[in-house]
Amino acid sequence: MLSQPWRKCGAIYSCNVIGGSGLSNSNFDPKLGHGVLKIIWRLHFARRWALIEPTSKNKPRLGHCDLAQGGSTSGQNNEPQGDASMLTLIDTLRQIQGDRLGRLGLGPTECRYRIVATGARWRLRAYVDSSAGTPLLIVAAPIKRPYIWDLAYSVSVVRHCLQNRLHLYLLEWMAPSRSDKDAGLGYYATRSIGEAVATVARQAGGKTPLVMGHSLGGTLAAIFAAFDPPSIRGLVLLSTPLCFAPGSCRFRDAIVAMTPPNPAAMEIVPGSLLSQLSVMASPETFLWSRLVDLVLSAGDPEAWMVHARVERWSLDEFPLPGRLVHEILAWLYRDNRLCAGTLRIGERILGPSSLQVPLLAVVNTADAVAPPRSIAPFIAAMSGGYTRLVEYPGEAGVGLQHLAILVGRQAHATVWPDIISWLHGHA
């Protein structure tokens, strides 16, 4: 039965352009379309035996390698180091699967950039085709690779910004080493972003930059904006959770339920473990809805291509320092310190009242990871006159609704003109 959708999608594929990699209707083999679909199908249904250990019908937990404990939970004889090595191997295998999709024409086709500054575990991109206009710094999420911002020509936030005369920079995170195991929210959200913002301001002749982030990148950007409001001109948050109160999001509640109250973090947390944690917390979001999106995209070659590129991006696993993961899970998800106004970074205590910059927040009402309730209470607690909240209903052909604002064609057609207008209005 599964061969029928592959043949159908392969036939549709064979008479349309594959975008960005030189594959078109004149040289595309339908078998390649079948191959892409088979890889995606296997990724969705591959049994994650090494990581899932059910404890009841409703409460699975991490199995051979527990995220919070840093070691084994399924047997007394398993060694934590062996578990970590296995997870690192899974990261490598998933990256190899991504490379296979890349060879089928689904790799990134990014705009040209140069590196203008580097830190211990970050580097700053300046895009070559930028104008001399308003400086804008994109803070990528330190999970997976940043080319989700520049996924394909028709759905590229980077291209959209460049075409609208923004002087564009992007903060790209580098993979941590064991010496970075103690890098936490302070290092990522204040020190690193602060150094990048200062560099952008110098490069732009002293102009204070605007800052934009998505998901965890947006959360880190918001923490920085609350820490040092005068250093930026305004903040754009896309599908960014800031409120982690119980009941605000089922994804948040599931994450907290799977995390012990006093975790001792692993030194380096492999990306595949974070991916698995997300699947366990919300299988309907990270598994079943992706399959539904694949089916809905089958009759639309361009949507199908975006979905396939998102799947390829999702395989680019990226590790994080254990301390950062611990602080995100404990301080943000469990304790809700940012929204409660009790987040201590250095000598500062941060909360909604600290974020005194113009803020535009865009939320996807179909996003289970960052629904409206994960940001509306934070905005309500901010000082008046600074904020604007835009709701967007999501769309098919995006792989994950959490990414729709970045890669959705309807988002680029209807929401991004408003974002660009807001950015220019606060230049």
Side-chain angles (χ1 to χ4, degrees):
M1 293 179 64
L2 301 184
S3 62
Q4 293 300 322
W6 294 341
R7 283 198 291 267
K8 180 178 179 181
C9 291
I12 293 173
Y13 234 63
S14 64
C15 60
N16 288 276
V17 174
I18 293 192
S21 298
L23 296 176
S24 65
N25 56 343
S26 62
N27 59 7
F28 179 63
D29 185 348
K31 292 181 180 179
L32 293 182
H34 302 162
V36 173
L37 276 171
K38 287 180 180 179
I39 293 172
I40 292 174
W41 196 269
R42 288 169 183 166
L43 294 176
H44 283 305
F45 280 105
R47 184 181 179 189
R48 301 164 188 264
W49 59 270
L51 299 175
I52 294 179
E53 179 178 307
T55 57
S56 71
K57 290 183 178 179
N58 299 319
K59 294 182 179 180
R61 65 181 170 88
L62 292 177
H64 299 303
C65 187
D66 189 286
L67 170 64
Q69 300 292 351
S72 172
T73 62
S74 61
Q76 296 180 350
N77 297 324
N78 293 331
E79 294 295 330
Q81 182 61 42
D83 290 333
S85 298
M86 177 204 61
L87 290 164
T88 302
L89 175 61
I90 293 175
D91 275 10
T92 302
L93 292 175
R94 284 173 60 81
Q95 290 163 1
I96 291 172
Q97 289 177 311
D99 290 341
R100 291 179 63 187
L101 287 175
R103 287 194 294 272
L104 294 176
L106 301 177
T109 55
E110 298 179 87
C111 296
R112 296 182 302 156
Y113 62 86
R114 66 183 190 278
I115 303 300
V116 295
T118 59
R121 286 292 165 245
W122 59 270
R123 61 182 191 174
L124 182 64
R125 299 181 180 186
Y127 284 87
V128 173
D129 296 324
S130 291
S131 69
T134 305
L136 170 64
L137 172 64
I138 292 174
V139 178
I143 297 177
K144 304 191 189 298
R145 303 290 177 178
Y147 64 83
I148 192 66
W149 291 87
D150 197 9
L151 189 67
Y153 186 88
S154 61
V155 289
S156 168
V157 172
V158 168
R159 293 180 190 275
H160 206 124
C161 292
L162 294 176
Q163 291 169 358
N164 283 276
R165 306 182 310 282
L166 291 167
H167 194 178
L168 190 61
Y169 297 81
L170 184 145
L171 178 60
E172 176 184 4
W173 305 103
M174 310 303 292
S177 64
R178 285 187 176 276
S179 63
D180 303 309
K181 61 185 177 64
D182 293 325
L185 283 173
Y187 173 82
Y188 276 79
T190 59
R191 177 180 168 184
S192 298
I193 297 179
E195 292 175 359
V197 165
T199 301
V200 170
R202 287 194 301 271
Q203 294 258 326
K207 295 180 181 178
T208 304
L210 294 155
V211 174
M212 179 163 57
H214 171 263
S215 190
L216 179 56
T219 305
L220 297 177
I223 292 173
F224 172 76
F227 183 83
D228 190 9
S231 65
I232 67 173
R233 190 177 298 272
L235 179 65
V236 177
L237 301 179
L238 310 173
S239 296
T240 296
L242 298 178
C243 175
F244 302 90
S248 61
C249 175
R250 287 193 297 171
F251 177 75
R252 174 266 170 204
D253 292 343
I255 289 287
V256 171
M258 289 189 293
T259 304
N262 296 302
M266 300 168 65
E267 288 186 350
I268 301 296
V269 180
S272 57
L273 185 53
L274 299 173
S275 296
Q276 183 58 44
L277 180 64
S278 297
V279 172
M280 293 169 64
S282 184
E284 64 274 15
T285 298
F286 291 94
L287 183 62
W288 306 119
S289 68
R290 289 164 73 176
L291 289 171
V292 172
D293 189 80
L294 175 63
V295 173
L296 293 176
S297 302
D300 184 339
E302 189 171 353
W304 197 96
M305 175 54 60
V306 172
H307 179 105
R309 286 183 181 273
V310 168
E311 291 298 330
R312 187 264 179 272
W313 169 84
S314 72
L315 293 168
D316 261 333
E317 297 292 7
F318 198 80
L320 291 178
R323 181 175 177 180
L324 177 63
V325 175
H326 161 62
E327 291 178 357
I328 290 171
L329 293 177
W331 296 1
L332 299 184
Y333 274 82
R334 189 188 67 206
D335 298 343
N336 192 31
R337 295 185 189 183
L338 180 59
C339 192
T342 59
L343 179 64
R344 179 180 290 276
I345 302 292
E347 299 300 318
R348 300 283 306 279
I349 297 178
L350 308 178
S353 62
S354 309
L355 210 167
Q356 298 181 5
V357 299
L359 170 66
L360 172 65
V362 181
V363 61
N364 181 349
T365 57
D367 181 8
V369 177
R373 286 184 298 174
S374 70
I375 191 170
F378 186 96
I379 290 177
M382 289 179 61
S383 301
Y386 283 105
T387 64
R388 179 185 172 194
L389 179 63
V390 175
E391 293 190 348
Y392 150 68
E395 59 188 282
V398 294
L400 288 167
Q401 287 302 320
H402 190 52
L403 302 173
I405 189 61
L406 299 183
V407 302
R409 289 175 295 166
Q410 289 301 315
H412 278 266
T414 61
V415 181
W416 274 97
D418 287 342
I419 297 174
I420 295 296
S421 176
W422 188 94
L423 289 169
H424 283 306
H426 291 81

